[in-house]
Amino acid sequence: MEYVPLLPDSLVLEIFMRLPHDAVLRAGLTCRQWQAISRDEFLWRELFYSYYRIPRSVPRHPAAVSWYREFKRLFDCIPCVEVQTLGEHSDQVLHLAFSHKGHRFSSCSKDCTVKLWDTERPDGNISLVHSSSMRQFNWGYTQFSQFNADDSLLLVSGVYLGPHHSSSGEIAVISLENYTLLSRVRNKPYDVFGCWLNETHLISGNLHWIGNMTSCSVLWLNKAFQDIESENVNVVKRLFKIQNINASTIRTVMVAHCRRHDNPDLLLDYEAQSQARRQKGQQQHQPLLFDLGTSGSEEEDEDEEEDEEEHHRETRNYGLPTARLPQPAISSLEHVRHSRKNVGPRELEIETQVAQMMGRVHTKAPDSSLIEPSESGEGEDKTYLLFTTGSLTYSPHQIGIKRIKPDQMTTCGPVLGEERSSDEFFDSLDHVIDIHGHIIGMGLSPDHRYLYVNSRAWPAGCVISDPMSPPPIAEEIDLHVIDLKSLREERRSLRAHRAFTPNDECFFIFLDVSRDFVASGAEDKHGYIWDRHYNICLARLAHDDVVNSVAFSPADQELLLSASDDSTIKVWRSPRMVRLVQAPARPPRTRGLLPSWLSRSKNSTPAGSVNGRP
């Protein structure tokens, strides 16, 4: 007898549209008719927009196969389930970094150690592989780490108490083959952090005060190690020399390798979202949260040659310890405050004006190819040096961009200055992006096209009259998205996380970006995850104290780590992955040798077919 449904499809669909998504899925188990209607594309389109509260002018992600699968991706593939807590650190954990293959990650902490962890154990748990203490080299703590491109070396940045009672940083390079220390490099101020330029060369910084509120930042290219057979080859080289005014300095350097931008991993819908905002009457964005899971300064050297020799000696000091200073060093900010006691505001204003005038006269012109590339160079790969800087006050409020040319990517060749005229003391910035707020974090997308920036906004229309008195900053953290191709902000700011420390105590909160998601720590004891395409907050990750850093596995974006002041590292996986791990393994079917061979011969795949299908 033929089955006749009691209700027409249109009526069942109308009923399902008034149910929550989980009720729709349960109802789909009732009969074949309801099962078919529960997978209707129109139904899941309505459920998608209503549940996630996304403006309907925002299109579905072009890579999505269906509305049902897109809903499931945002609900089921977010790493929001805590599966493990790592408590091997004895103090605040400040930073996490994955290797490029995703098989290892490193952690830095106030306990002055850098630890290496294995993520590929058969049981799925993460285990400690190695721990190195940096106290023997007079470090206060480790603050940042980064694997080089082939995962053979680890860059570790920390706060170092060195000579002259000056607070500075230091970078150490550790071999991951035998965990030996290969080199140590001066890094000042310490919040420059440092970064890899390529597999064998890293970038560090140095700071020289040339006035009460005027300084010069020198960015260095360092070879990670010196080969025995090449002792006469340079291991350091000055990259750029940049003037700072109004007590600002260069901090947080990172390198973006922009590969022509042909296939971006983020498909922009900026115009659609802008139109949606206009339709809403420019209302303040209220994000929806889906919780799916329970220097100091040393005096300027007498000339640049002595400075380079000193940097060379420090780079080749392969871990020889010096005497530890009992008292903390004077920071860069304290240097400026100390100078202001003996100098009036009029003198400081004149110094800034003179510095600006000298900068205009004695600074090399910017690289025009960054903003207006030549026709022959439009398709070439480019390497950019990105960093935080400022021009109005000491708090970092601008993103500086400087292009690194191919002949600058090695310590061989001419040193800094030989390519400039005698009147050009400084290098200019190729481009500057003003964030209008205190920058507290930066991260690159996997394809290096998009720069994500954590900032705490200044009041609208504020005027800075005193560089040492920046405007008050908001408790809300804005997450900006900058397209490094167009050099403009392409998305409205993401917002959900918060911070509470004032301007002069503000600290860095690291964020990370995967193919589909972006995550960040916060001072409200939570980490946060957003979807990059729809700009919605999908989950928050609970800790017992400030969350300083988060990191996605580059091999699997459904694995996320978070580090906190509560001295723990938490491991988060998606609900989908948790179910797969907990599902009982299917016992293999025993088959005889002859039937197995006959089956393979019968089902052998002919040439020109894919997955057994012609």
Side-chain angles (χ1 to χ4, degrees):
M1 181 176 179
E2 185 179 356
Y3 169 74
V4 179
L6 298 178
L7 297 176
D9 290 355
S10 59
L11 182 56
V12 176
L13 178 61
E14 191 68 26
I15 295 173
F16 280 9
M17 289 179 62
R18 286 162 170 75
L19 299 178
H21 69 278
D22 53 346
V24 170
L25 293 174
R26 288 195 299 269
L29 302 175
T30 305
C31 63
R32 292 182 179 179
Q33 180 199 18
W34 288 18
Q35 167 69 21
I37 299 174
S38 69
R39 292 296 187 269
D40 183 84
E41 276 293 278
F42 179 78
L43 169 65
W44 282 101
R45 179 181 183 275
E46 295 303 308
L47 291 174
F48 183 87
Y49 281 116
S50 61
Y51 181 78
Y52 292 111
R53 300 183 192 177
I54 301 172
R56 293 181 181 269
S57 58
V58 178
R60 190 180 73 187
H61 195 295
V65 177
S66 68
W67 286 106
Y68 169 73
R69 289 183 179 274
E70 188 69 348
F71 190 107
K72 186 176 181 181
R73 178 183 72 85
L74 295 186
F75 192 91
D76 210 30
C77 300
I78 309 298
C80 57
V81 180
E82 180 183 346
V83 297
Q84 191 177 359
T85 300
L86 308 174
E88 280 79 353
H89 281 289
S90 60
D91 208 335
Q92 302 170 1
V93 188
L94 303 181
H95 184 252
L96 301 167
F98 266 101
S99 64
H100 293 82
K101 299 175 184 177
H103 66 301
R104 296 280 177 91
F105 75 87
S106 58
S107 57
C108 295
S109 169
K110 282 285 186 73
D111 63 13
C112 205
T113 65
V114 55
K115 298 184 186 297
L116 287 166
W117 309 80
D118 180 15
T119 65
E120 294 186 337
R121 284 177 45 128
D123 60 2
N125 289 325
I126 290 175
S127 61
L128 181 65
V129 174
H130 179 77
S131 179
S132 294
S133 175
M134 306 303 292
R135 290 199 187 278
Q136 59 180 317
F137 308 119
N138 300 335
W139 284 29
Y141 54 88
T142 59
Q143 61 174 353
F144 175 82
S145 60
Q146 186 181 42
F147 291 81
N148 70 339
D150 63 1
D151 294 333
S152 63
L153 303 174
L154 182 67
L155 177 154
V156 184
S157 175
V159 176
Y160 171 68
L161 302 179
H164 307 295
H165 299 272
S166 63
S167 177
S168 62
E170 191 170 69
I171 296 172
V173 178
I174 298 175
S175 169
L176 296 180
E177 181 179 358
N178 51 17
Y179 305 114
T180 58
L181 181 66
L182 299 180
S183 61
R184 292 164 58 199
V185 180
R186 178 175 60 180
N187 190 42
K188 186 167 64 175
Y190 57 79
D191 48 7
V192 169
F193 292 118
C195 64
W196 289 105
L197 176 61
N198 50 42
E199 292 182 358
T200 57
H201 292 80
L202 59 100
I203 296 175
S204 63
N206 201 0
L207 179 68
H208 305 281
W209 288 100
I210 54 181
N212 295 297
M213 302 184 67
T214 307
S215 63
C216 170
S217 291
V218 181
L219 297 173
W220 294 84
L221 181 64
N222 310 266
K223 192 170 183 180
F225 53 87
Q226 174 144 16
D227 300 320
I228 299 176
E229 62 273 13
S230 59
E231 293 184 355
N232 296 324
V233 178
N234 291 334
V235 294
V236 295
K237 177 181 176 180
R238 285 188 295 266
L239 272 179
F240 305 116
K241 185 176 182 181
I242 298 172
Q243 182 193 42
N244 306 309
I245 61 173
N246 288 327
S248 65
T249 61
I250 287 179
R251 312 176 188 182
T252 318
V253 298
M254 61 175 55
V255 172
H257 297 286
C258 301
R259 310 295 186 187
R260 298 186 180 91
H261 308 305
D262 287 338
N263 297 303
D265 62 4
L266 178 64
L267 300 169
L268 297 176
D269 57 318
Y270 176 79
E271 295 300 330
Q273 295 199 34
S274 298
Q275 183 179 359
R277 289 206 312 275
R278 289 193 295 270
Q279 292 174 354
K280 286 189 172 184
Q282 299 292 339
Q283 295 179 356
Q284 180 69 26
H285 170 61
Q286 297 295 332
L288 179 64
L289 181 65
F290 298 90
D291 193 354
L292 306 183
T294 71
S295 117
S297 147
E298 298 176 13
E299 296 181 357
E300 183 74 33
D301 296 330
E302 295 181 1
D303 53 41
E304 291 189 351
E305 292 183 359
E306 292 184 4
D307 186 28
E308 183 171 4
E309 291 176 0
E310 179 186 356
H311 188 88
H312 186 105
R313 287 194 301 270
E314 292 199 17
T315 305
R316 297 185 61 187
N317 179 22
Y318 298 97
L320 298 179
T322 56
R324 184 179 182 85
L325 297 176
Q327 70 270 17
I330 303 174
S331 68
S332 301
L333 196 56
E334 290 172 341
H335 161 84
V336 177
R337 289 170 175 164
H338 179 74
S339 300
R340 284 169 59 94
K341 294 180 181 179
N342 302 321
V343 181
R346 179 58 181 167
E347 287 79 0
L348 295 176
E349 182 180 353
I350 293 175
E351 177 188 321
T352 300
Q353 293 175 354
V354 171
Q356 291 174 334
M357 180 183 65
M358 294 291 290
R360 286 192 294 268
V361 175
H362 297 291
T363 299
K364 184 182 178 182
D367 186 358
S368 60
S369 65
L370 177 67
I371 305 173
E372 298 178 358
S374 61
E375 184 176 349
S376 60
E378 287 181 347
E380 64 180 353
D381 294 345
K382 294 182 179 180
T383 300
Y384 297 145
L385 182 66
L386 313 174
F387 46 83
T388 63
T389 183
S391 60
L392 303 176
T393 179
Y394 68 83
S395 64
H397 56 277
Q398 294 175 328
I399 305 295
I401 302 178
K402 189 71 180 169
R403 183 180 178 186
I404 303 177
K405 298 179 180 179
D407 60 346
Q408 295 175 305
M409 296 189 186
T410 174
T411 53
C412 302
V415 297
L416 178 74
E418 294 187 9
E419 71 278 8
R420 295 195 305 249
S421 67
S422 58
D423 292 333
E424 295 174 335
F425 299 153
F426 305 111
D427 293 284
S428 62
L429 303 184
D430 294 329
H431 192 72
V432 175
I433 300 174
D434 200 304
I435 300 298
H436 194 75
H438 193 128
I439 299 172
I440 59 172
M442 295 198 304
L444 284 166
S445 63
D447 66 348
H448 284 204
R449 173 165 177 172
Y450 301 99
L451 178 67
Y452 287 73
V453 181
N454 265 336
S455 76
R456 296 173 62 183
W458 292 336
C462 65
V463 177
I464 300 177
S465 57
D466 182 1
M468 297 306 296
S469 298
I473 53 179
E475 288 187 354
E476 296 81 9
I477 302 176
D478 293 325
L479 186 52
H480 306 266
V481 187
I482 297 171
D483 186 350
L484 293 180
K485 180 179 180 180
S486 63
L487 298 178
R488 70 183 178 98
E489 188 170 352
E490 291 291 350
R491 292 291 189 90
R492 59 186 165 97
S493 301
L494 308 179
R495 179 178 290 180
H497 46 334
R498 298 170 66 88
F500 310 106
T501 51
N503 241 321
D504 56 348
E505 299 177 11
C506 213
F507 55 86
F508 213 72
I509 294 178
F510 294 94
L511 56 95
D512 196 25
V513 188
S514 70
R515 183 192 64 206
D516 296 322
F517 310 125
V518 55
S520 174
E523 292 185 39
D524 59 8
K525 302 181 182 181
H526 288 87
Y528 291 83
I529 304 176
W530 294 264
D531 181 79
R532 293 178 60 192
H533 180 73
Y534 300 107
N535 280 15
I536 55 174
C537 186
L538 295 170
R540 62 177 185 176
L541 318 172
H543 272 269
D544 294 331
D545 210 328
V546 172
V547 179
N548 296 305
S549 179
V550 291
F552 286 102
S553 167
D556 179 12
Q557 66 175 356
E558 296 181 41
L559 169 61
L560 178 73
L561 307 172
S562 59
S564 171
D565 279 357
D566 61 16
S567 305
T568 67
I569 301 170
K570 289 191 176 183
V571 184
W572 308 84
R573 293 190 184 271
S574 67
R576 184 183 73 89
M577 291 302 298
V578 171
R579 288 198 307 272
L580 290 176
V581 171
Q582 294 175 348
R586 295 181 179 179
R589 291 184 298 175
T590 59
R591 305 178 66 182
L593 179 62
L594 183 59
S596 176
W597 180 85
L598 292 174
S599 175
R600 287 202 306 270
S601 300
K602 181 179 179 180
N603 299 323
S604 60
T605 303
S609 65
V610 179
N611 294 331
R613 299 179 181 178

